[in-house]
Amino acid sequence: MAVRLLNMSRFARLSRPLLRTTRQYSGAAASVDGSYTGPDMKTTVPGPKSKELFGDLMKIQQAGGVQYFVDYNKSQGNYLVDADGNVLLDLFGQVGSIPLGYNHPAIKERITSQGIDTLVNRPALGCFPPTDYAQTLQDALLSVAPKGMSEVMTLMCGSCANENAFKASFISFMDRQRGGPVNPSAEEYASALYNKGPGCPKLSVLSFKGAFHGRLLATLSCTHSKVIHKLDIPALDWPCAPFPQLKYPLDQFVRENQQEEKKCLEEVEDNFSTSQKNGVPIATAIIEPIQAEGGDKHASPEFFEGLQTICKKYGASFMVDEVQTGCGGTGYMWAHEAWDLPEPADFVTFAKKMQIGGFYYTSERRTNEAFRIFNTYVGDHMRTVVLGAIVNEMTKRQLLGQVKETGEVLLTGLQKLEGMHPSLVHSARGAGTFCAIDCHDSATRDKLVGQLKNKGFQVGGSGELAIRFRPALVFEPRHANMFLEAFDDVLKSQ
Ligand code: PSZ
């Protein structure tokens, strides 16, 4: 059942004008896919081997989220190979967390040449870092820092990054309240150990409806995408503002969308003033550049700049959660670079493709004392070393250019499909290959995702209605065309 790559396929023809533009990237000819040239399905998914393994795992834990088991040894480049030997083109990239595809030689080389010592002896980086640590952070993280951000803290996952960035923002908020880094009062010290004020101050974080910022206790209070994430868990009573519900394509609904964003910003401002009046000031507003788990919702640069302005007015931090959007998928290293803000954000958090969780921050947000943002490992040297190889490969192969080019092919193709199948799909949108298209209801979305999987194309759902695409940065126009053709077939068969 191999899906062969036809040079003159429907979608290759469609995207020819785009492909005629000068290639902006150099390394495209060197395929990372090894011998795989297309999906190759032997069973339906999950196949018998996956089902057997699922039974084993279910005895040990609640593994109901597992789709199928993967043979990571056989997976290569853009292709995922499952336990039954099915070869799938991966447009989901482990929930958007695979930068260079599977088994990339540059990563393997870096691990064998540089990584063994701290893999064998995992260091507590906050106390006993390896000799090359500052250089490793420089190469992997500061070399790609968002403009104006000069410092970085590494942690574990995305939730952990956001949770610690909240803490850093609270500490700096209180420093500013005290009028600089002056010593807290005896009363503050005495009360803090037992969760009481004034040592544990009443502060809040503003988040947005539909947001996803993680599943730990504070971040979960800022997550509002699915009720199942939150049910039965105590939550902090923090404010939540509406995220703009825009109409797509954005360039056809400029006036309506502007009005919608204006309305949302008015509510944001309301939240700030009410929280201040109620004695629980907002110390931070956290926002995703594209609401990802919430269904790939976009907003304009003007909206984000407006939010930054309000944060500044109230002395709060402006925190951009780039856990899912960061590291190149939108065609920018950081999605928020596209906004061209007049000044940097105060915090930019990351994880997923970056291999480790963490956050960039401006030097004004540095804590004065050590041990305030801290844990045993504070990151993972080994993962940061791997990130160095990834960043190097991104530069060497100009992968951001490739993402932009492939993204144009993918989005143009999705828009064409929307025109051809309006009763099934609509509102194609995206930045780079970070694309999505909506179905009219969840049942249709789930059915289409399942049928695509059985044709050998792994995509993801997001929110209620969207099919989302999060391929690796090594995803090329030819892969996009292959998918678009299969998607057209699936849509025609409904
Ligand atoms: O079901 C889940 O827990 C999922 S599925 C996708 C995610 C989580 N994304 C994680 C995520 C994110 O998309 C944004 C914008 N911010 C924070 C997080 C949390 O990252 P992790 O999962 O590493 O804790």
Side-chain angles (χ1 to χ4, degrees):
M1 251 216 278
V3 175
R4 250 166 284 125
L5 177 61
L6 302 172
N7 273 341
M8 285 307 286
S9 70
R10 279 163 273 159
F11 286 92
R13 277 202 303 277
L14 164 83
S15 54
R16 238 187 310 162
L18 289 169
L19 294 178
R20 247 193 287 124
T21 58
T22 328
R23 276 197 182 280
Q24 289 151 9
Y25 56 95
S26 58
S31 174
V32 294
D33 295 338
S35 60
Y36 301 121
T37 54
D40 187 6
M41 301 302 285
K42 297 177 166 56
T43 71
T44 52
V45 183
K49 185 70 192 162
S50 267
K51 283 187 182 148
E52 184 192 324
L53 294 170
F54 183 71
D56 296 343
L57 189 58
M58 265 308 231
K59 286 181 202 137
I60 297 168
Q61 57 180 219
Q62 169 49 270
V66 170
Q67 298 193 28
Y68 49 83
F69 286 78
V70 174
D71 186 333
Y72 285 101
N73 184 263
K74 295 209 182 98
S75 301
Q76 185 66 48
N78 291 284
Y79 291 93
L80 195 56
V81 180
D82 79 358
D84 292 275
N86 295 305
V87 180
L88 293 96
L89 182 66
D90 190 6
L91 292 94
F92 194 39
Q94 310 282 328
V95 203
S97 67
I98 291 280
L100 301 181
Y102 299 99
N103 284 303
H104 196 284
I107 297 182
K108 289 193 147 177
E109 192 281 323
R110 186 65 66 102
I111 290 171
T112 40
S113 70
Q114 218 186 312
I116 294 298
D117 288 349
T118 56
L119 189 59
V120 176
N121 313 289
R122 186 172 180 179
L125 290 168
C127 299
F128 308 104
T131 50
D132 67 354
Y133 196 44
Q135 191 61 49
T136 301
L137 290 177
Q138 180 62 47
D139 293 347
L141 283 160
L142 290 178
S143 70
V144 291
K147 209 167 85 199
M149 310 210 88
S150 49
E151 305 199 16
V152 71
M153 181 73 204
T154 57
L155 294 142
M156 303 306 293
C157 59
S159 308
C160 181
N162 285 337
E163 198 95 9
N164 279 281
F166 289 170
K167 283 175 51 186
S169 78
F170 294 143
I171 293 167
S172 73
F173 188 89
M174 292 311 292
D175 271 352
R176 293 196 297 283
Q177 293 278 302
R178 292 187 190 102
V182 293
N183 281 339
S185 65
E187 199 193 352
E188 283 174 298
Y189 276 122
S191 55
L193 215 45
Y194 299 101
N195 309 340
K196 299 276 189 281
C200 292
K202 290 195 190 307
L203 297 175
S204 59
V205 175
L206 177 77
S207 54
F208 288 82
K209 288 183 184 152
F212 189 101
H213 297 296
R215 290 178 180 254
L216 298 177
L217 283 177
T219 47
L220 190 60
S221 290
C222 297
T223 287
H224 317 280
S225 50
K226 279 195 192 137
V227 69
I228 195 70
H229 298 152
K230 298 179 69 85
L231 189 69
D232 298 335
I233 320 272
L236 291 149
D237 185 14
W238 285 351
C240 179
F243 191 87
Q245 302 300 305
L246 303 188
K247 291 198 182 131
Y248 305 91
L250 296 175
D251 56 5
Q252 280 176 31
F253 295 96
V254 174
R255 212 173 43 85
E256 285 107 306
N257 288 343
Q258 273 172 353
Q259 276 169 2
E260 166 69 3
E261 292 192 333
K262 187 167 169 273
K263 204 178 73 199
C264 292
L265 282 178
E266 281 163 10
E267 291 213 29
V268 166
E269 177 109 38
D270 258 14
N271 272 298
F272 269 94
S273 66
T274 309
S275 301
Q276 201 170 50
K277 262 186 234 127
N278 294 344
V280 194
I282 293 169
T284 301
I286 184 169
I287 195 156
E288 297 156 87
I290 299 168
Q291 265 195 351
E293 294 311 296
D296 278 48
K297 303 269 168 70
H298 292 242
S300 73
E302 292 73 28
F303 173 78
F304 292 105
E305 194 179 326
L307 176 61
Q308 183 180 42
T309 306
I310 298 172
C311 287
K312 219 172 156 202
K313 178 172 159 192
Y314 286 85
S317 290
F318 176 53
M319 188 179 294
V320 184
D321 178 344
E322 291 257 19
V323 167
Q324 196 156 156
T325 47
C327 200
T330 65
Y332 293 87
M333 182 68 199
W334 304 105
H336 79 275
E337 283 170 341
W339 308 337
D340 208 12
L341 291 171
E343 28 187 326
D346 301 295
F347 295 92
V348 173
T349 63
F350 56 82
K352 286 199 188 263
K353 285 195 188 65
M354 296 292 282
Q355 312 294 299
I356 40 164
F359 60 89
Y360 295 101
Y361 56 101
T362 57
S363 45
E364 294 90 71
R365 295 294 190 262
R366 173 193 277 239
T367 59
N368 290 301
E369 301 98 342
F371 295 117
R372 299 207 73 180
I373 305 297
F374 204 80
N375 73 344
T376 307
Y377 288 135
V378 284
D380 183 343
H381 179 247
M382 187 58 216
R383 292 280 160 196
T384 317
V385 166
V386 166
L387 178 61
I390 292 165
V391 164
N392 186 46
E393 193 67 16
M394 285 174 70
T395 313
K396 199 163 103 190
R397 311 260 176 224
Q398 297 175 42
L399 290 180
L400 294 180
Q402 179 169 325
V403 168
K404 283 194 179 112
E405 186 174 331
T406 310
E408 274 182 48
V409 173
L410 182 59
L411 186 56
T412 314
L414 291 170
Q415 282 163 343
K416 184 176 179 213
L417 287 177
E418 167 182 346
M420 287 158 65
H421 307 280
S423 64
L424 290 165
V425 284
H426 64 99
S427 300
R429 56 203 179 273
T433 53
F434 198 108
C435 290
I437 191 163
D438 279 352
C439 301
H440 293 287
D441 58 76
S442 301
T444 309
R445 190 274 307 276
D446 295 346
K447 187 166 77 172
L448 294 176
V449 169
Q451 289 178 352
L452 281 166
K453 192 182 337 187
N454 279 312
K455 271 178 103 65
F457 295 88
Q458 176 70 55
V459 297
S462 85
E464 292 289 303
L465 305 175
I467 298 177
R468 71 172 139 169
F469 306 97
R470 302 286 187 270
L473 310 176
V474 293
F475 195 74
E476 295 178 35
R478 64 197 168 92
H479 299 111
N481 284 322
M482 222 189 300
F483 164 74
L484 290 164
E485 212 164 297
F487 196 20
D488 186 26
D489 289 340
V490 165
L491 291 167
K492 277 192 184 124
S493 72
Q494 300 307 304

